Amino acid sequence: MINTNTKPISEFIEKYFLHFNAAALVDAAKGYEAQLNKGSKMLVSLAGAMSTAELGKIFAEMIRKDKVQIISCTGANLEEDIMNLVAHSHYKRVPNYRDLTPQDEWDLLEKGLNRVTDTCIPEEEAFRRLQKHIVKIWKDAEAKGERYLPHEYMYKLLLSGVLEEYYEIDIKDSWMYAAAEKNLPIICPGWEDSTMGNIFASYVLKGELKASTVKSGIEYMTFLADWYTDNSENGIGFFQIGGGIAGDFPICVVPMLYQDMEKPETPFWSYFCQISDSTTSYGSYSGAVPNEKITWGKLDIDTPKFIIESDATIVAPLIFAYLLEM
């Protein structure tokens, strides 16, 4: 928990983070704070393996303190926060991952350890433990003729209490649980590209579930379009951690509404920040500078724009800590 009586993080970074990416971090944090102070809402997008990096330890508090109003994340981040909740002690850290041989990697596979850089997620205690319970929720919904978005099934899983016997970390460190308690809107584009998505597909192939039981990405976009329209009176900011579909998908809702729905009154995103180590190259979207988004009708000329070219596992917790001290 952040001690609100002092501001050690904000005072430290304002004193020492004065140039280059360090200064961009401070500027972006202050810009985020300014958005909230003027009544704007904020979308945070999570790419990469931020849940496995245990961002939930501080991101959950951001959710509880109303510093984020909607989340866009990959299917991996959606499920891996819950996996960490129920299987934390079974994770294995591999600090020498750069030295691993193909045989070393194969040995990890045979032990049921799926590696994400320096951290291995345990197959049985994480993936299969969730599978046992989420499949029942899918089948119950289908039997009732009900359909839900992927994150709504995860909320049902968490709030049902069936996972409580497995908890291995403080529930306050799970950002998904914090989001479920608030019924926070989540956008999870490309959910099929996740372990639970693959498992769901396998049940469809076996004829045990219908593909339509889990709502589609198009339904996520229409859900987001309605949410954006209903919540953009004072502006909506976009805080992007990493690149990929978690950022690409939701940011497109603005040009879709403005151009394709022919609603010229649709406001542009009122703030944009991306933390990324991707560089501009031939056709790289993740590495593109924010100004490129002006040409696509996503950002305005005067939208505050920040790009922090650094490691999100370092930068995001610092910015969140700064905001929690405000």
Side-chain angles (χ1 to χ4, degrees):
M1 294 288 289
I2 298 297
N3 182 350
T4 56
N5 295 321
T6 60
K7 298 181 177 181
I9 302 298
S10 56
E11 290 173 358
F12 179 86
I13 66 174
E14 285 180 1
K15 181 175 181 178
Y16 297 108
F17 284 30
L18 303 176
H19 300 282
F20 318 129
N21 278 299
L25 182 157
V26 178
D27 292 342
K30 289 182 175 179
Y32 193 131
E33 181 190 7
Q35 288 288 303
L36 296 180
N37 287 343
K38 74 174 188 178
S40 296
K41 297 187 176 180
M42 189 65 71
L43 179 148
V44 172
S45 75
L46 301 177
M50 296 307 295
S51 288
T52 293
E54 298 188 65
L55 187 67
K57 284 190 170 184
I58 193 164
F59 191 44
E61 188 70 1
M62 286 282 289
I63 294 168
R64 285 190 288 269
K65 292 295 170 86
D66 298 319
K67 304 286 187 180
V68 52
Q69 284 71 45
I70 185 170
I71 295 166
S72 174
C73 72
T74 57
N77 276 299
L78 191 73
E79 65 193 17
E80 287 175 13
D81 177 81
I82 306 174
M83 290 177 186
N84 180 57
L85 174 64
V86 302
H88 181 76
S89 69
H90 299 277
Y91 279 59
K92 176 180 174 61
R93 186 159 180 265
V94 187
N96 64 324
Y97 67 92
R98 292 179 179 86
D99 302 324
L100 296 179
T101 65
Q103 183 62 52
D104 293 331
E105 304 280 19
W106 184 261
D107 292 343
L108 289 173
L109 169 66
E110 291 194 318
K111 293 175 183 176
L113 294 169
N114 300 266
R115 186 170 70 83
V116 181
T117 313
D118 70 346
T119 302
C120 294
I121 303 174
E123 178 83 24
E124 289 301 319
E125 295 83 2
F127 302 132
R128 302 309 166 193
R129 191 167 281 176
L130 260 61
Q131 177 181 355
K132 173 183 175 182
H133 296 286
I134 195 69
V135 170
K136 184 178 186 303
I137 294 173
W138 289 333
K139 289 186 174 182
D140 286 349
E142 185 167 302
K144 296 175 184 176
E146 297 172 349
R147 304 175 61 243
Y148 298 97
L149 291 163
H151 78 278
E152 293 175 318
Y153 281 112
M154 291 300 197
Y155 281 0
K156 288 178 179 293
L157 177 65
L158 284 167
L159 298 177
S160 70
V162 296
L163 297 179
E164 288 181 8
E165 63 178 296
Y166 309 117
Y167 288 175
E168 295 192 355
I169 64 169
D170 191 329
I171 193 66
K172 291 183 177 179
D173 291 339
S174 165
W175 73 261
M176 271 293 291
Y177 191 83
E181 283 192 308
K182 282 184 172 286
N183 195 26
L184 200 74
I186 291 181
I187 309 301
C188 186
W191 171 76
E192 298 81 2
D193 179 24
S194 68
T195 299
M196 291 304 113
N198 293 168
I199 289 171
F200 179 79
S202 75
Y203 280 87
V204 173
L205 288 167
K206 290 184 288 187
E208 296 184 34
L209 284 168
K210 298 176 183 176
S212 59
T213 296
V214 175
K215 291 185 178 181
S216 70
I218 294 299
E219 288 168 290
Y220 257 134
M221 181 57 83
T222 58
F223 170 80
L224 176 59
D226 289 338
W227 186 92
Y228 192 94
T229 300
D230 293 341
N231 289 273
S232 57
E233 181 179 357
N234 295 316
I236 301 174
F238 199 104
F239 188 83
Q240 182 174 343
I241 299 175
I245 195 171
D248 300 354
F249 183 94
I251 204 167
C252 289
V253 74
V254 169
M256 188 269 284
L257 286 168
Y258 187 100
Q259 299 168 14
D260 305 321
M261 289 296 293
E262 299 181 347
K263 293 184 174 181
E265 72 279 8
T266 302
F268 294 103
W269 294 96
S270 61
Y271 163 100
F272 178 80
C273 173
Q274 181 178 4
I275 307 168
S276 175
D277 59 3
S278 181
T279 57
T280 301
S281 62
Y282 302 103
S284 166
Y285 184 82
S286 296
V289 296
N291 280 352
E292 186 175 297
K293 293 173 174 59
I294 294 173
T295 73
W296 289 90
K298 300 167 184 175
L299 305 179
D300 202 352
I301 294 172
D302 299 322
T303 302
K305 307 171 191 70
F306 308 93
I307 186 161
I308 308 166
E309 296 174 316
S310 188
D311 185 332
T313 63
I314 298 170
V315 172
L318 282 172
I319 290 180
F320 292 162
Y322 176 96
L323 293 165
L324 289 168
E325 288 180 355
M326 294 300 109

